[in-house]
Amino acid sequence: MDKAIELRSKCKHFRVLVIGRANAGKTTLLKKVCNSIEDPEVFSSEGKKVLSATLLGIKSRGLHDMENQLIFKSNPQFVFHDSRGFESGSVEELENVKTFIAKRAGGKNLSEQLHAIWYCLPTDTNRPLLKADEDFFNTDVTGKVPVIVIFTKFDGLVNEAYTELIDSELSHEGAEEKQLEKAQGLLDSHFREPLRRAKYLPSDSVQIEAKALTDDTLMLLFVSVQQNNVDLCIEYALEK
């Protein structure tokens, strides 16, 4: 974790769009990244405080605004924007994401630009990839913004693997021994393979359990944002 802290200290401000359907584990992810047990404060795009409670997971369209900035007191250098993800048939939300990314890409001030997209896909579901998810990765909507796919709730997939092994009449000990390997196989066939067939591949991917994030996972998330921030700084300087 010392290296992760060192990386964060070198970059003062990260702006991240978090995409994920309801119950995708976004709140758990952001709280862990920011080392917080509290919900973020919510500010408008002009910096005016909107709500003291998190918008993550709130379904009411009246309360949700992707332009709102979610900031944790414990780690204010991260600025998050929340997209609820693309539920079945939600073409409107996908168009909203496209518009938001394009608007941020056109910002003249580096701090206004989007530095990374964290695309959360829960693995404890019988609907691995929705059509709108596939549309996102088959359309050039992200430009130069790196997309990190985060497979959340991997422990749920491990439980599914264990159950399948038991149903195949394997012993309890045998199922426990093989459950991680089988879960990785399910993750690959249900999620990674469809993403590999997409026209626009994610920059990278990580997997997390519902209750834990490893230091290596946090490192990848920090590095993905920092590297893009450096690239943007260089590009901005050359343009000037």
Side-chain angles (χ1 to χ4, degrees), residues 147-151 187 192 195 202-207 220-221:
V147 179
I148 307 298
V149 171
I150 304 174
F151 299 115
L187 181 66
R192 295 189 190 276
L195 286 174
S203 301
D204 213 326
S205 65
V206 295
Q207 65 192 54
L220 176 56
L221 296 180

Side-chain angles (χ1 to χ4, degrees), residues 151-182:
F151 299 115
T152 62
K153 301 185 177 181
F154 183 69
D155 48 350
L157 199 60
V158 173
N159 291 337
E160 178 184 338
Y162 174 83
T163 300
E164 290 187 12
L165 291 168
I166 290 294
D167 290 343
S168 67
E169 299 185 355
L170 201 65
S171 67
H172 170 71
E173 292 76 12
E176 282 197 330
E177 181 181 347
K178 294 181 178 295
Q179 61 183 357
L180 287 177
E181 180 182 354
K182 185 171 181 61

Side-chain angles (χ1 to χ4, degrees), residues 3-236:
K3 290 184 179 180
I5 295 174
E6 180 183 351
L7 284 171
R8 282 187 289 177
S9 69
K10 293 180 179 179
C11 192
K12 295 181 180 179
H13 178 77
F14 299 146
R15 187 178 297 274
V16 182
L17 172 62
V18 185
I19 299 176
R21 67 190 77 164
N23 300 316
K26 293 183 293 182
T27 303
T28 300
L29 171 69
L30 300 191
K31 285 184 175 181
K32 181 65 177 180
V33 168
C34 292
N35 193 27
S36 176
I37 59 174
E38 298 179 350
D39 289 332
E41 294 183 309
V42 183
F43 299 87
S44 68
S45 57
E46 293 79 23
K48 182 178 179 181
K49 191 170 183 179
V50 179
L51 294 171
S52 59
T54 179
L55 295 186
L56 298 179
I58 293 180
K59 296 182 179 180
S60 172
R61 291 187 178 273
L63 292 177
H64 182 272
D65 187 345
M66 206 179 310
E67 287 287 349
N68 284 338
Q69 305 175 93
L70 285 71
I71 301 175
F72 289 86
K73 291 181 179 179
S74 60
N75 201 335
Q77 71 184 130
F78 275 100
V79 177
F80 296 106
H81 296 270
D82 173 36
S83 168
R84 291 163 298 178
F86 313 126
E87 307 297 341
S88 181
S90 180
V91 177
E92 179 183 356
E93 189 70 10
L94 177 58
E95 290 303 316
N96 289 341
V97 167
K98 291 180 182 179
T99 301
F100 176 82
I101 293 173
K103 179 180 177 181
R104 286 289 170 181
K108 295 181 179 179
N109 191 326
L110 183 63
S111 65
E112 297 174 356
Q113 296 184 21
L114 190 63
H115 302 134
I117 298 171
W118 294 351
Y119 202 106
C120 299
L121 288 172
T123 60
D124 63 340
T125 174
N126 57 4
R127 297 189 305 162
L129 290 183
L130 304 178
K131 182 180 183 302
D133 294 323
E134 296 174 350
D135 290 344
F136 179 89
F137 288 101
N138 282 296
T139 307
D140 186 14
V141 299
T142 63
K144 295 183 179 180
V145 182
V147 179
I148 307 298
V149 171
I150 304 174
F151 299 115
T152 62
K153 301 185 177 181
F154 183 69
D155 48 350
L157 199 60
V158 173
N159 291 337
E160 178 184 338
Y162 174 83
T163 300
E164 290 187 12
L165 291 168
I166 290 294
D167 290 343
S168 67
E169 299 185 355
L170 201 65
S171 67
H172 170 71
E173 292 76 12
E176 282 197 330
E177 181 181 347
K178 294 181 178 295
Q179 61 183 357
L180 287 177
E181 180 182 354
K182 185 171 181 61
Q184 289 290 348
L186 292 173
L187 181 66
D188 194 62
S189 61
H190 293 171
F191 293 90
R192 295 189 190 276
E193 278 299 328
L195 286 174
R196 291 190 190 109
R197 294 193 294 267
K199 186 175 181 179
Y200 297 95
L201 302 179
S203 301
D204 213 326
S205 65
V206 295
Q207 65 192 54
I208 63 173
E209 298 180 1
K211 298 180 181 179
L213 279 172
T214 67
D215 286 357
D216 287 343
T217 298
L218 294 176
M219 282 285 291
L220 176 56
L221 296 180
F222 296 148
V223 170
S224 71
V225 182
Q226 185 193 21
Q227 181 60 50
N228 189 64
N229 190 64
V230 171
D231 292 341
L232 286 171
C233 287
I234 294 173
E235 181 179 348
Y236 184 76

